[in-house]
């Protein structure tokens, strides 16, 4: 649905986007992550034909964004960062204006479509309000409404949840998820939970280049490298440590304090076991415990959080906001 | 084409939903009425020529025109709405021409109100319809030119005041240049005389619609709109 090939954009001497390539397929919700100034917004502006690339090309729904800009734009719904809307129009006036520009025929069909969108975005009782008088969350919904009303094949949202309160964030995410059932969605954010909660795929970019590409699960596994296990044993501490170290596939063992909320018993010992790369020593640990007469209370794999992934992949990036 | 009218309609809505259009039109009408009636009562002239040819009217339009157009693109820039507008499926020309059309609409509204002056003259004595029509057309073309300049400067900046002042300066140059041609070297005088507004306006105020004058206004308007479009387009490559 979206095809990006060697896309490059320079602002003077600064390379905002440095030759990135990726494809987004129909029905994917792609989370676009990266520190400020990584090139997220610039990439989106190129996809929507607001900026032209310095080199490389991009296609949306089969149309080149440079050569067939109007056709591509007709198939995109876009919500720029900060939700810029005409403050002097009422919600209904604005949605009608957007429908006019998008060439939605007037009449019963449009009324039905507008009613649908207004309900989906929860704007029912605000139609007569001036946009300038709405709260940030409501403005965001108007922005979303104008982006989806022509049923675009591709939806591009630049930080759609920034500056909203937690309830509003959940609501907007739900709307994005609903839309993502049938459309292709790209949205940028720097909130990790958001990606976990909504995306089927994430793309991390840093310094204008793609740092990682995959499902949220894949990426956290990749960043993790070796498996990390948390083990709780009851018995003599020396026995436990020696036993664990002797298990095949274990790289290191270290004692740790109980995690908050875990019981600290006299004979309970907590360990963090790092496995050798590509090894899964869990079965052997269980067997070792039985043989040595130790009681295995708990054993669990620690998952690298997406925050860790993000930090590993993008650390040291200079913060420069692309405008 | 259709989208141009969609834009024009939105802009007209923006003008008439807010006080700007009313204030500008009211100021314009008040001052031009002052000019007209002072000519009528003090000099006993019951014709419109003084109004159209006059020193003051064209000066007034050089301020009113930019005041109407200053917000057109500068406001979109400062509110970032330009980005959303230009990523919709419409061409830069739809935006430029639609906005220009709306500005012309506001001024046309003022001129309809000015028709009262014509009616006044007609009540006092016979109205010379030909020159009155040419005069109205001439004034409208002057305003159209000044507003094309205003739209152009509005595309340069996100600050409406800067757009306004820039446009007024350019308009004043056009307004003044025909009056001071003599101070320039003889070689450039014919060009400057052509460039100045005066020559072209006075012809029309006398009731003569000359294609050369129409060409003059057309050239200036087209040039400004071309620059405006080029400015919008330049965002892509900067």
């Amino acid at each position: 649905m979206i095809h990006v090939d060697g896309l490059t954009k320079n602002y003077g001497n600064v390379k905002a986007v440095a030759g990135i390539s990726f494809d987004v397929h129909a029905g994917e919700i792609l989370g676009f992550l990266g520190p400020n100034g990584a090139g997220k917004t610039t990439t989106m502006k190129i996809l929507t034909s607001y900026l032209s690339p310095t080199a490389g090309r991009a296609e949306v729904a089969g149309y080149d964004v440079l050569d067939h800009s109007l056709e591509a734009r007709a198939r995109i719904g876009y919500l720029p960062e900060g939700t810029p809307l005409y403050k002097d129009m009422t919600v209904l006036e604005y949605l009608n204006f957007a429908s006019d520009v998008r060439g939605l025929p007037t009449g019963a069909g449009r009324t039905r479509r507008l009613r649908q969108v207004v309900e989906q975005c929860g704007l029912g009782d605000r139609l007569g309000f001036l946009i300038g008088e709405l709260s940030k969350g409501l403005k965001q919904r108007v922005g979303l409404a104008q982006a989806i009303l022509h049923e675009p094949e591709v939806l591009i949202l630049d930080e759609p949840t920034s500056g909203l309160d937690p309830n509003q964030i959940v609501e907007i995410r739900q709307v994005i998820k609903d839309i993502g059932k049938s459309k292709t969605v790209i949205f940028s954010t720097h909130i990790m939970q958001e990606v976990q909660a909504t995306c089927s795929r994430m793309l991390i970019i840093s310094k204008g280049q793609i740092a990682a590409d995959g499902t949220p699960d894949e990426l956290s596994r990749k960043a993790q490298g070796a498996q990390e296990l948390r083990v709780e044993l009851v018995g003599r501490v020396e026995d436990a440590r020696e036993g664990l170290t002797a298990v095949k596939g274990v790289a290191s063992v270290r004692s740790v304090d109980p995690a908050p909320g875990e019981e600290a018993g006299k004979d309970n010992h907590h360990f963090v076991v790092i496995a050798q790369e590509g090894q899964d020593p869990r079965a052997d640990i269980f067997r070792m415990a039985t043989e040595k007469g130790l009681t295995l209370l708990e054993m669990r794999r620690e998952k690298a959080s997406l925050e860790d992934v993000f930090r590993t992949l993008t650390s040291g990036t200079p913060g420069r906001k692309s405008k | 084409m259709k989208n141009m009218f969609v834009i024009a309609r939105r802009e007209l809505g923006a003008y008439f939903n807010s006080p700007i259009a009313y204030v500008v039109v009211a100021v314009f009408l008040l001052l031009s009425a002052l000019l007209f009636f002072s000519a009528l009562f003090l000099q006993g002239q019951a014709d419109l020529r003084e109004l159209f040819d006059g020193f003051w009217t064209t000066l007034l339009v050089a301020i009113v025109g930019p005041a109407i157009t200053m917000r057109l693109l500068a406001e979109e820039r400062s509110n970032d709405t330009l980005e959303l507008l230009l990523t919709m499926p419409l061409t830069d020309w739809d935006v430029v021409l639609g906005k220009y059309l709306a500005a012309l609409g506001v001024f046309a509204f003022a001129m309809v109100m000015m028709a009262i002056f014509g009616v006044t003259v007609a009540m006092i004595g016979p109205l010379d319809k030909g020159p009155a029509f040419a005069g109205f057309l001439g004034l409208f073309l002057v305003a159209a030119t000044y507003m094309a300049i205003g739209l152009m400067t509005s595309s340069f900046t996100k600050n409406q005041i800067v757009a306004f002042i820039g446009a007024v300066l350019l308009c004043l140059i056009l307004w003044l240049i025909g009056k001071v041609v003599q101070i320039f070297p003889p070689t450039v005088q014919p060009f400057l005389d052509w460039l100045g507004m005066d020559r072209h306006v006075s012809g029309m105020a006398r009731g003569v619609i000359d294609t050369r004058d129409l060409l003059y206004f057309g050239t200036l308007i087209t040039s400004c709109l071309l620059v405006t479009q080029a400015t919008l387009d330049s965002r892509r490559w900067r």
Side-chain angles (χ1 to χ4, degrees), chain A residues 9 11 45 48-53 70 73-74 78 80 84-89 94 97 100-102 146, chain B residues 2-3 6-7 9-10 14 17 76 79-91 235-238:
Chain A
K9 177 74 183 178
Y11 295 115
K45 284 184 178 178
T48 52
S49 309
Y50 185 67
L51 298 175
S52 295
L70 289 180
R73 281 189 254 167
Y78 180 39
L85 301 168
Y86 296 115
K87 299 190 182 78
D88 54 358
M89 294 177 104
Y94 184 74
F97 165 68
D100 286 339
V101 175
R102 298 289 185 179
Q146 67 78 28
Chain B
K2 200 195 107 258
N3 281 331
V6 173
I7 299 291
R9 201 166 61 214
R10 197 209 84 78
N17 279 338
E76 298 254 11
N79 290 342
D80 291 327
T81 46
L82 194 61
E83 180 176 350
L84 195 49
L85 187 64
L86 293 179
T87 51
M88 286 182 166
L90 31 81
T91 63
R235 73 175 187 276
R236 297 167 176 274
W237 303 106
R238 264 192 293 229

Coordinates of all heavy atoms in Angstrom, one line a residue, chain A residues 9 11 45 48-53 70 73-74 78 80 84-89 94 97 100-102 146, chain B residues 2-3 6-7 9-10 14 17 76 79-91 235-238:
Chain A
K9 N 16.0 13.2 2.3 CA 15.6 14.6 2.3 C 16.7 15.4 3.1 O 17.0 15.1 4.2 CB 14.3 14.8 3.0 CG 13.8 16.3 3.1 CD 13.4 16.8 1.8 CE 13.0 18.3 1.9 NZ 12.6 18.9 0.6
Y11 N 17.9 19.2 4.5 CA 17.5 20.6 4.7 C 18.9 21.3 4.7 O 19.6 21.3 5.7 CB 16.8 20.8 6.0 CG 15.5 20.2 6.2 CD1 15.2 19.1 7.0 CD2 14.4 20.6 5.4 CE1 14.0 18.6 7.2 CE2 13.2 20.1 5.5 CZ 13.0 19.1 6.4 OH 11.7 18.5 6.5
K45 N 5.7 14.0 5.8 CA 5.4 15.2 4.9 C 5.7 14.8 3.5 O 5.1 15.4 2.6 CB 6.2 16.4 5.4 CG 5.6 17.0 6.6 CD 6.3 18.3 7.0 CE 5.6 18.9 8.3 NZ 6.3 20.1 8.8
T48 N 2.8 12.7 2.1 CA 1.6 13.4 1.9 C 1.8 14.5 0.8 O 1.0 15.4 0.6 CB 1.1 14.1 3.1 OG1 2.2 14.9 3.7 CG2 0.6 13.1 4.1
S49 N 3.0 14.5 0.1 CA 3.3 15.5 -0.9 C 3.4 16.9 -0.4 O 3.3 17.8 -1.2 CB 2.2 15.5 -2.0 OG 2.0 14.2 -2.5
Y50 N 3.6 17.1 0.9 CA 3.9 18.5 1.3 C 5.3 18.9 1.0 O 5.5 20.0 0.6 CB 3.6 18.6 2.8 CG 3.7 20.0 3.3 CD1 2.7 21.0 2.9 CD2 4.7 20.4 4.1 CE1 2.8 22.3 3.3 CE2 4.8 21.8 4.6 CZ 3.9 22.7 4.1 OH 4.0 24.0 4.5
L51 N 6.2 18.0 1.1 CA 7.6 18.2 0.8 C 8.0 17.2 -0.3 O 7.4 16.2 -0.5 CB 8.5 18.0 2.0 CG 8.3 18.8 3.2 CD1 9.2 18.4 4.3 CD2 8.6 20.3 2.9
S52 N 9.0 17.6 -1.1 CA 9.5 16.7 -2.1 C 10.8 16.1 -1.6 O 11.6 16.8 -1.0 CB 9.7 17.4 -3.4 OG 8.4 17.9 -3.9
P53 N 11.0 14.8 -1.9 CA 12.3 14.2 -1.5 C 13.5 14.8 -2.3 O 13.3 15.2 -3.4 CB 12.1 12.8 -1.8 CG 11.0 12.7 -2.8 CD 10.2 13.9 -2.7
L70 N -1.8 14.3 -6.9 CA -3.2 14.5 -6.6 C -3.9 13.1 -6.4 O -4.7 13.0 -5.4 CB -4.0 15.2 -7.7 CG -3.6 16.7 -7.8 CD1 -4.4 17.4 -9.0 CD2 -3.9 17.4 -6.5
R73 N -2.8 11.9 -3.0 CA -3.3 12.6 -1.9 C -4.8 12.3 -1.7 O -5.3 12.3 -0.6 CB -3.2 14.1 -2.2 CG -1.8 14.7 -1.9 CD -1.8 16.1 -2.0 NE -1.2 16.6 -3.2 CZ -1.3 17.9 -3.6 NH1 -2.0 18.8 -3.0 NH2 -0.6 18.3 -4.7
A74 N -5.5 12.0 -2.8 CA -6.9 11.7 -2.7 C -7.1 10.4 -1.9 O -8.2 10.2 -1.3 CB -7.5 11.5 -4.1
Y78 N -4.8 12.6 6.4 CA -3.6 13.1 7.1 C -4.0 14.0 8.2 O -4.8 14.8 8.1 CB -2.8 13.9 6.1 CG -1.4 14.4 6.6 CD1 -0.7 13.7 7.5 CD2 -1.0 15.7 6.2 CE1 0.5 14.3 8.0 CE2 0.2 16.2 6.6 CZ 1.0 15.5 7.5 OH 2.1 16.0 8.0
P80 N -1.7 16.3 10.5 CA -0.4 16.8 10.9 C -0.2 17.0 12.4 O -1.2 17.0 13.1 CB -0.3 18.2 10.2 CG -1.4 18.2 9.2 CD -2.5 17.3 9.8
P84 N -3.5 21.2 13.1 CA -3.9 22.6 12.7 C -5.3 22.6 12.0 O -5.5 21.9 11.0 CB -2.8 22.9 11.7 CG -2.3 21.6 11.2 CD -2.5 20.6 12.3
L85 N -6.2 23.4 12.6 CA -7.5 23.4 12.0 C -7.9 24.9 11.9 O -7.4 25.7 12.6 CB -8.5 22.7 12.8 CG -8.3 21.2 13.0 CD1 -9.2 20.6 14.1 CD2 -8.5 20.4 11.8
Y86 N -8.9 25.2 11.1 CA -9.4 26.6 11.1 C -10.3 26.9 12.3 O -11.4 26.4 12.5 CB -10.3 26.8 9.8 CG -9.4 26.7 8.6 CD1 -9.7 25.6 7.7 CD2 -8.4 27.5 8.3 CE1 -8.9 25.5 6.5 CE2 -7.6 27.4 7.2 CZ -7.9 26.4 6.3 OH -7.1 26.2 5.2
K87 N -9.8 27.8 13.2 CA -10.4 28.0 14.4 C -11.7 28.8 14.3 O -12.6 28.7 15.2 CB -9.5 28.8 15.4 CG -8.2 28.0 15.7 CD -7.4 28.8 16.8 CE -6.1 28.1 17.1 NZ -5.1 28.4 16.1
D88 N -11.9 29.5 13.2 CA -13.0 30.3 13.0 C -14.2 29.6 12.4 O -15.2 30.2 12.0 CB -12.7 31.6 12.2 CG -12.0 31.2 10.9 OD1 -11.8 30.0 10.6 OD2 -11.7 32.1 10.1
M89 N -14.1 28.3 12.2 CA -15.2 27.5 11.6 C -15.8 26.6 12.7 O -15.1 26.2 13.6 CB -14.7 26.6 10.5 CG -14.2 27.4 9.3 SD -13.6 26.2 8.0 CE -14.9 26.3 6.8
Y94 N -16.5 22.9 9.1 CA -15.2 22.4 8.8 C -15.3 21.0 8.1 O -14.7 20.8 7.0 CB -14.3 22.3 10.0 CG -12.9 21.9 9.6 CD1 -12.0 22.8 8.9 CD2 -12.4 20.6 9.8 CE1 -10.8 22.4 8.5 CE2 -11.2 20.2 9.4 CZ -10.3 21.2 8.8 OH -9.1 20.8 8.4
F97 N -16.5 21.5 4.7 CA -15.5 22.1 3.8 C -14.5 20.9 3.3 O -14.2 20.8 2.2 CB -14.7 23.1 4.6 CG -13.4 23.5 3.9 CD1 -13.3 24.2 2.7 CD2 -12.2 23.2 4.6 CE1 -12.1 24.5 2.1 CE2 -10.9 23.5 4.0 CZ -10.9 24.2 2.8
D100 N -16.2 18.9 0.8 CA -16.2 19.6 -0.5 C -14.8 19.4 -1.2 O -14.8 19.0 -2.4 CB -16.4 21.1 -0.3 CG -17.9 21.4 0.0 OD1 -18.7 20.5 -0.3 OD2 -18.1 22.5 0.5
V101 N -13.7 19.6 -0.5 CA -12.4 19.5 -1.1 C -12.2 18.1 -1.5 O -11.6 17.8 -2.6 CB -11.3 19.9 -0.1 CG1 -9.9 19.7 -0.7 CG2 -11.5 21.4 0.3
R102 N -12.7 17.1 -0.8 CA -12.5 15.7 -1.1 C -13.4 15.2 -2.1 O -13.4 14.1 -2.5 CB -12.7 14.9 0.2 CG -11.7 15.2 1.3 CD -10.3 14.7 0.9 NE -9.3 14.8 2.0 CZ -8.1 14.4 1.9 NH1 -7.6 13.9 0.8 NH2 -7.3 14.6 2.9
Q146 N -11.8 14.7 10.0 CA -11.5 15.1 8.6 C -10.6 14.2 7.9 O -10.6 14.1 6.7 CB -11.0 16.6 8.6 CG -9.6 16.8 9.2 CD -8.4 16.5 8.3 OE1 -8.5 16.5 7.1 NE2 -7.3 16.1 8.9
Chain B
K2 N -13.3 23.4 -9.7 CA -14.3 23.3 -8.7 C -13.7 23.6 -7.3 O -14.3 24.3 -6.5 CB -14.9 21.8 -8.7 CG -16.3 21.7 -8.1 CD -16.6 20.3 -7.8 CE -16.6 19.9 -6.3 NZ -15.4 19.3 -5.8
N3 N -12.5 23.0 -7.1 CA -11.9 23.2 -5.8 C -11.6 24.7 -5.6 O -11.5 25.1 -4.4 CB -10.6 22.4 -5.7 CG -11.0 20.9 -5.4 OD1 -12.0 20.7 -4.8 ND2 -10.1 20.0 -5.9
V6 N -14.5 26.1 -4.0 CA -14.6 25.6 -2.6 C -13.7 26.4 -1.7 O -14.2 26.9 -0.6 CB -14.1 24.1 -2.5 CG1 -14.1 23.6 -1.0 CG2 -15.1 23.2 -3.3
I7 N -12.5 26.7 -2.1 CA -11.6 27.5 -1.3 C -12.1 29.0 -1.2 O -12.2 29.5 -0.1 CB -10.2 27.6 -2.0 CG1 -9.6 26.2 -2.1 CG2 -9.3 28.6 -1.2 CD1 -9.2 25.6 -0.8
R9 N -15.2 29.9 -1.3 CA -16.3 30.0 -0.5 C -15.9 30.0 1.0 O -16.4 30.7 1.8 CB -17.3 28.8 -0.8 CG -18.7 29.1 -0.3 CD -19.7 28.1 -0.9 NE -19.3 26.8 -0.5 CZ -19.5 25.7 -1.2 NH1 -20.0 25.8 -2.4 NH2 -19.2 24.5 -0.8
R10 N -14.9 29.1 1.3 CA -14.4 29.1 2.7 C -13.8 30.4 3.1 O -14.1 30.9 4.2 CB -13.4 28.0 2.9 CG -13.2 27.6 4.3 CD -11.8 27.2 4.7 NE -10.9 28.3 4.9 CZ -10.8 29.0 6.0 NH1 -11.6 28.7 7.0 NH2 -9.9 30.0 6.1
A14 N -14.9 33.0 6.0 CA -14.0 33.5 7.0 C -14.0 35.0 7.1 O -13.9 35.6 8.2 CB -12.5 33.0 6.7
N17 N -17.7 36.0 8.5 CA -18.0 35.5 9.9 C -17.2 36.3 10.9 O -17.4 36.1 12.1 CB -17.6 34.0 10.0 CG -18.7 33.1 9.4 OD1 -19.8 33.6 9.3 ND2 -18.3 31.9 9.0
E76 N -2.6 31.2 7.4 CA -2.5 29.8 7.2 C -1.2 29.3 7.6 O -1.0 28.2 8.2 CB -2.7 29.4 5.7 CG -4.1 29.8 5.2 CD -5.0 28.5 5.0 OE1 -4.6 27.5 5.5 OE2 -6.1 28.7 4.4
N79 N -0.8 29.5 11.5 CA -1.6 28.5 12.2 C -1.2 27.0 11.7 O -1.9 26.1 12.2 CB -3.1 28.7 12.0 CG -3.6 29.9 12.7 OD1 -3.0 30.4 13.6 ND2 -4.7 30.4 12.3
D80 N -0.3 26.9 10.8 CA 0.1 25.6 10.3 C -1.0 25.0 9.5 O -0.9 23.8 9.1 CB 0.6 24.7 11.4 CG 1.9 25.1 12.0 OD1 2.7 25.7 11.2 OD2 2.1 24.9 13.2
T81 N -2.1 25.7 9.2 CA -3.2 25.0 8.5 C -2.8 24.9 7.0 O -3.4 24.1 6.3 CB -4.5 25.8 8.6 OG1 -4.2 27.2 8.4 CG2 -5.1 25.6 9.9
L82 N -1.8 25.6 6.6 CA -1.4 25.5 5.2 C -1.0 24.1 4.8 O -1.3 23.6 3.7 CB -0.2 26.5 4.9 CG 0.2 26.8 3.5 CD1 -1.0 27.4 2.8 CD2 1.4 27.6 3.4
E83 N -0.3 23.4 5.8 CA 0.1 22.1 5.5 C -1.0 21.2 5.2 O -1.0 20.4 4.3 CB 0.9 21.6 6.7 CG 1.4 20.2 6.5 CD 2.3 19.7 7.6 OE1 2.7 20.5 8.5 OE2 2.6 18.5 7.6
L84 N -2.1 21.3 6.1 CA -3.2 20.4 5.9 C -3.9 20.7 4.6 O -4.3 19.9 3.8 CB -4.2 20.6 7.1 CG -5.3 19.6 7.2 CD1 -4.7 18.2 7.2 CD2 -6.0 19.8 8.5
L85 N -4.0 22.0 4.3 CA -4.7 22.5 3.0 C -3.9 21.9 1.8 O -4.5 21.4 0.9 CB -4.7 24.0 3.0 CG -5.6 24.6 1.9 CD1 -7.0 24.2 2.0 CD2 -5.4 26.1 1.9
L86 N -2.6 22.1 1.8 CA -1.8 21.7 0.6 C -1.6 20.2 0.5 O -1.1 19.8 -0.5 CB -0.5 22.4 0.7 CG -0.5 24.0 0.5 CD1 0.8 24.6 0.6 CD2 -1.3 24.4 -0.8
T87 N -2.0 19.4 1.5 CA -1.9 18.0 1.4 C -3.2 17.4 1.0 O -3.4 16.2 0.9 CB -1.4 17.3 2.7 OG1 -2.2 17.8 3.8 CG2 0.1 17.7 2.9
M88 N -4.2 18.3 0.9 CA -5.5 17.8 0.4 C -5.4 17.7 -1.2 O -4.6 18.3 -1.8 CB -6.6 18.7 0.8 CG -7.0 18.6 2.3 SD -8.3 19.7 2.7 CE -8.7 19.0 4.3
P89 N -6.3 16.9 -1.8 CA -6.2 16.7 -3.2 C -6.6 18.0 -4.0 O -7.6 18.0 -4.7 CB -7.1 15.5 -3.5 CG -8.0 15.5 -2.4 CD -7.4 16.1 -1.2
L90 N -5.9 19.1 -3.9 CA -6.1 20.2 -4.7 C -4.8 20.8 -5.1 O -3.8 20.6 -4.5 CB -7.0 21.3 -4.0 CG -7.0 21.4 -2.5 CD1 -5.8 22.3 -2.1 CD2 -8.3 22.1 -2.1
T91 N -4.8 21.6 -6.2 CA -3.5 22.1 -6.7 C -3.2 23.4 -6.0 O -4.1 24.1 -5.4 CB -3.6 22.4 -8.2 OG1 -4.6 23.4 -8.4 CG2 -4.0 21.1 -9.0
R235 N 8.2 25.5 -1.0 CA 8.3 24.8 0.3 C 8.8 23.4 0.1 O 9.5 22.9 1.0 CB 6.9 24.7 1.0 CG 6.0 23.6 0.2 CD 4.7 23.4 0.8 NE 4.1 22.2 0.1 CZ 3.4 22.4 -1.0 NH1 3.2 23.5 -1.5 NH2 2.8 21.3 -1.5
R236 N 8.5 22.8 -1.1 CA 8.8 21.4 -1.3 C 10.3 21.2 -1.4 O 10.8 20.2 -1.0 CB 8.3 21.0 -2.6 CG 6.8 21.0 -2.7 CD 6.4 20.8 -4.2 NE 4.9 20.7 -4.3 CZ 4.3 19.6 -4.2 NH1 4.9 18.5 -4.0 NH2 3.0 19.6 -4.4
W237 N 11.0 22.2 -1.9 CA 12.4 22.0 -2.2 C 13.4 22.6 -1.2 O 14.6 22.5 -1.4 CB 12.7 22.5 -3.6 CG 11.8 21.8 -4.6 CD1 10.7 22.3 -5.2 CD2 11.9 20.5 -5.0 NE1 10.1 21.4 -6.0 CE2 10.8 20.2 -5.9 CE3 12.7 19.4 -4.7 CZ2 10.6 19.0 -6.5 CZ3 12.5 18.2 -5.3 CH2 11.5 18.0 -6.2
R238 N 12.9 23.4 -0.3 CA 13.8 24.1 0.6 C 14.5 23.1 1.5 O 13.9 22.2 2.0 CB 13.0 25.2 1.4 CG 13.2 26.5 0.7 CD 12.7 27.6 1.7 NE 11.3 27.5 1.9 CZ 10.4 28.4 1.8 NH1 10.8 29.6 1.5 NH2 9.2 28.3 2.0

